[in-house]
Amino acid sequence: MRIHIRPIHRGCLRWLLAALLIGLPCNTALHAQELRPVFEPIPVWTLSVNGEVSDTSEVFYSRTLGAFLVLAPDFDEPVMLSARTREVTALQGLKLVPKKDGSYQLLPNAVDKALGAFQIVGGDVVRFKVDGKDAMLKKRPWLTGDQTATHIRAMNVQYDRDARAYTPDPDAVARLKAQHGDIHVMIYFGEWCPHCAKIVPTILSLQQALGKSDIRFSYYGLPTTLSDDPIFDKMHLEGVPTGIVYRNEKEIGRIYGTPWEHPGAAILNVLQSG
Amino acid sequence: MSDSMPTPPAWQRAVGRLAAIGLGAVLLIAAWAKAIDPVAFGEQIRALGLDLLLPAGAIAMLAVALEAGLGSALILGARRLVVLVPTGLLVVFFLLLTGRAWWRSAHGMAEAVAGCGCFGNLVQRTPAQAFLEDALLMVPALALAFLARPRARRFRKRLVAAGVIGVAALLLAWRAPSLPLDDLATRLRPGVSIDALCVGEEGTPGRVCLSDIVPEAENGRDWVILTELDTAAFTRVIPDLNRYVLRQGKAGVWVVCTASTDDVQSFMWQWGPAFEIRQAPPALMRPLYRRLPRSFEVQDGIVTATIDGVPPGLSGNAHPHSAAEGD
């Protein structure tokens, strides 16, 4: 049996379902759910089942449970791996409620089915079995080289989620839309870099908000040892994230540090001073 | 023959004496800064590759003793060549170190943050600042200390006194790691704002402050634990920390480490933490501790208490705030 639990339950229907499942009025359920384990998406882990990469799988983490949740079409049910006990269990899909922000909430009384234990091999491979299938979670390499916003958001669910949660300053967006000419913003980032994890999603969000404006965005991922990529020295970069703003293919300014807290205003500032 | 030499004018004697006192004070303060955290000083010696003949820790101890001895000899007025020449060599040595760090940083060979130079790990300066400030503080004073050197009376007694101070500094450096001097030896102490604990120059890409790492601590009351993720003193309290965070029902505890993102992910699979882990650059974190783990309580962005280790209230049953107050 394959259970599809991806975002089919949205809005009030989701709350209604949750309320029905636990037999409580909708408003009580809303309050109580705040205290229940929430699985938040985590990027960079890829699932292989019987040696084949499962492209549509997703991995989540719950701080409350100290457990990882794997959703994959290869498994009949969601699979939970508890880091605190090393146990693998299958969860009843209907006990997981998808939330608007891409996370999942575990409802009480979820029925677990013990599937054994998982093993950590090296630091970045996790092996386990689900109904006789050999499953392996492996950290994928960091995004490096030329990247597009679409690809970054598809590969890094955390970036995508944070980009959706961020609302760019409407005034800055309007003023950036009013800019004309060949404007190009090149973003150098490191997917491994905690600062980039905060800032790049806001830039992705800004890019989306700008839509079809005259401002083009490009992204370039750098490795953990920045200078391993010759582009780092060639572009005289000093750290990540760094944005280089070009007008008519000529560099007019760079953005790094505190100004990234407001990417729209930061780009406007460069455009106005350049 | 020296009896026939004319007595230098009083102002020259005064300038020479004051310069010697000034230089001596600089050396004593520098010796103190290193003596209270000899481990960090030893790390700097090792990083510079100066531990060729002796272990870095031993060189650090001897350097502290020498610096304190020479500094106190100058303050006591012992301006003989036997004091001034080694002092001059020490000053040249410091300038070579800071000059080298500046050159390396300017050529992209080192991080642009200097912890070395005369004041050890206590003061954060860029390599350029370290070199220029050390040069300005020491070179003129050294030159002027040669001015109108008196025939020192009771020279031997002063030298013995300076030697005693040097030995005392050596003993302090030896015992310091086990003394409760963290607040003195590091930049992290009660009253400090987390947005003032930074690394890198203002307006440069390398500028990072503790408030950037844990922005949540700018509001409310939180605990921050500085640690290595694999150190036993930390891993053995992880289940207690998890329980504490879950009992609180909010984050409240932030673990700050220098581990790579890969290592953090491995840690999550190993331990299933309920607390959040934040990564900080080593240059930001190193001046905040002498030994890991070290923790601090922060209220609305201001450090209110520091703890050597993990607060017992978080790792056991006692209330964390009572633990902090007792520290």
Side-chain angles (χ1 to χ4, degrees), chain A residues 49-238:
Chain A
V49 179
N50 290 334
E52 302 236 347
V53 174
S54 173
D55 288 330
T56 52
S57 63
E58 290 178 282
V59 184
F60 302 77
Y61 180 71
S62 161
R63 292 195 180 281
T64 309
L65 298 174
F68 294 82
L69 175 73
V70 182
L71 301 180
D74 306 82
F75 302 147
D76 292 339
E77 292 158 321
V79 172
M80 187 172 78
L81 296 92
S82 170
R84 293 179 196 158
T85 62
R86 295 288 162 87
E87 286 171 356
V88 184
T89 49
L91 295 175
Q92 269 198 345
L94 287 173
K95 292 291 180 180
L96 279 171
V97 178
K99 295 178 74 180
K100 212 174 182 176
D101 63 2
S103 61
Y104 281 86
Q105 197 158 42
L106 185 66
L107 297 179
N109 309 319
V111 180
D112 303 346
K113 185 172 78 180
L115 297 174
F118 70 83
Q119 289 179 311
I120 302 170
V121 186
D124 59 356
V125 175
V126 176
R127 289 181 185 278
F128 56 101
K129 276 187 183 288
V130 178
D131 296 331
K133 295 173 185 167
D134 285 321
M136 181 176 78
L137 279 168
K138 193 174 190 312
K139 202 185 85 54
R140 68 158 167 77
W142 301 116
L143 295 173
T144 51
D146 286 315
Q147 304 290 331
T148 63
T150 312
H151 187 243
I152 293 171
R153 293 179 74 149
M155 294 297 286
N156 192 317
V157 283
Q158 189 82 52
Y159 277 25
D160 182 51
R161 182 178 173 227
D162 292 348
R164 278 187 279 133
Y166 178 78
T167 308
D169 173 19
D171 180 50
V173 170
R175 290 169 68 192
L176 282 169
K177 276 184 172 173
Q179 299 285 325
H180 297 293
D182 178 20
I183 300 165
H184 178 203
V185 183
M186 183 78 205
I187 308 291
Y188 293 93
F189 73 105
E191 198 189 7
W192 43 268
C193 142
H195 257 62
C196 300
K198 279 197 288 187
I199 290 161
V200 175
T202 66
I203 303 168
L204 291 166
S205 180
L206 175 70
Q207 180 184 359
Q208 189 174 14
L210 286 172
K212 288 181 181 173
S213 72
D214 279 2
I215 303 178
R216 273 185 304 128
F217 286 82
S218 305
Y219 300 84
Y220 192 94
L222 285 157
T224 46
T225 305
L226 294 164
S227 53
D228 280 356
D229 188 329
I231 203 95
F232 184 74
D233 289 330
K234 188 182 165 195
M235 298 308 297
H236 305 291
L237 300 173
E238 293 183 59

Side-chain angles (χ1 to χ4, degrees), chain A residues 43-45 61 63-64 66 68 81 83-84 86 118 120 123-124 126 137 139 142 192 194-195 198 238-239 256 261, chain B residues 202-208 212-213 215 242 246 261-262 265-266 268-277 279:
Chain A
V44 308
W45 291 90
Y61 180 71
R63 292 195 180 281
T64 309
F68 294 82
L81 296 92
R84 293 179 196 158
R86 295 288 162 87
F118 70 83
I120 302 170
D124 59 356
V126 176
L137 279 168
K139 202 185 85 54
W142 301 116
W192 43 268
H195 257 62
K198 279 197 288 187
E238 293 183 59
Y256 41 69
E261 286 171 16
Chain B
E202 189 85 50
T204 63
R207 174 82 169 179
V208 185
D212 299 322
I213 307 293
N242 283 344
L246 295 175
T261 303
D262 288 341
Q265 286 179 344
S266 297
M268 288 173 73
W269 279 102
Q270 289 276 353
W271 297 97
F275 46 86
E276 282 212 35
I277 301 165
Q279 298 154 272

Side-chain angles (χ1 to χ4, degrees), chain A residues 195, chain B residues 194-199 206-214 284:
Chain A
H195 257 62
Chain B
I194 58 168
D195 60 15
L197 297 170
C198 304
V199 70
R207 174 82 169 179
V208 185
C209 298
L210 199 55
S211 52
D212 299 322
I213 307 293
V214 196
L284 171 66

